[in-house]
Amino acid sequence: DVQLVESGGGSVQAGGSLRLSCAASEYRPCMAWFRQAPGKEREGVAAIRRGGGTTFYADSVKGRFTISLDNGKNSLNLQMNNLRPEDTAMYYCAATKIDLCGLSGRLMGYWGQGTQVTVS
């Protein structure tokens, strides 16, 4: 089974930056970041297709977050700048089983355990 391990979460003041990383045990066609805040539904934050590098972003993070792949290491990154209190959530790395990509959780077949991001 595919293993996804997140790192890089933490606490930061509004306006600050954090970088999340996700180590994948094998290549997957599409990888993404999702988040879930207490009392809210899970939402797709950003996704990237390996073939071609097409990216997808939620409107709420466009211009502030950047998703990228380190293909040599099968790892996924999320650079988060200008963080806001509403970005506070548990962030999850996810990957697809099939060659489709986007921000829908229904596309994802594998999930990490999550890393907490708190913005005050």
Side-chain angles (χ1 to χ4, degrees), residues 35 44-46 57-66 84 87 91:
R35 67 186 181 187
V45 174
Y57 291 97
D59 288 343
S60 59
V61 306
K62 282 180 181 177
R64 301 188 298 123
F65 291 11
T66 302
R84 304 166 180 170
D87 295 318
Y91 283 70

Side-chain angles (χ1 to χ4, degrees), residues 6 10-11 14 23 40 45 52 65 69 72 76 78-79 88 93 99 102-106 109-112 115:
E6 303 98 335
S11 297
K40 294 187 177 181
V45 174
F65 291 11
L69 286 169
L76 177 72
L78 185 68
Q79 179 66 42
T88 295
C93 177
D99 192 13
L103 296 178
S104 171
R106 291 176 293 179
Y110 305 100
W111 295 88
T115 186

Side-chain angles (χ1 to χ4, degrees), residues 42-72:
R42 182 182 62 196
E43 64 170 334
V45 174
I48 185 166
R49 182 191 297 277
R50 282 183 177 271
T54 302
T55 56
F56 306 83
Y57 291 97
D59 288 343
S60 59
V61 306
K62 282 180 181 177
R64 301 188 298 123
F65 291 11
T66 302
I67 191 170
S68 62
L69 286 169
D70 182 340
N71 286 312

Side-chain angles (χ1 to χ4, degrees), residues 100-118:
L100 289 175
C101 202
L103 296 178
S104 171
R106 291 176 293 179
L107 294 176
M108 305 299 153
Y110 305 100
W111 295 88
Q113 293 299 307
T115 186
Q116 178 68 37
V117 171
T118 302

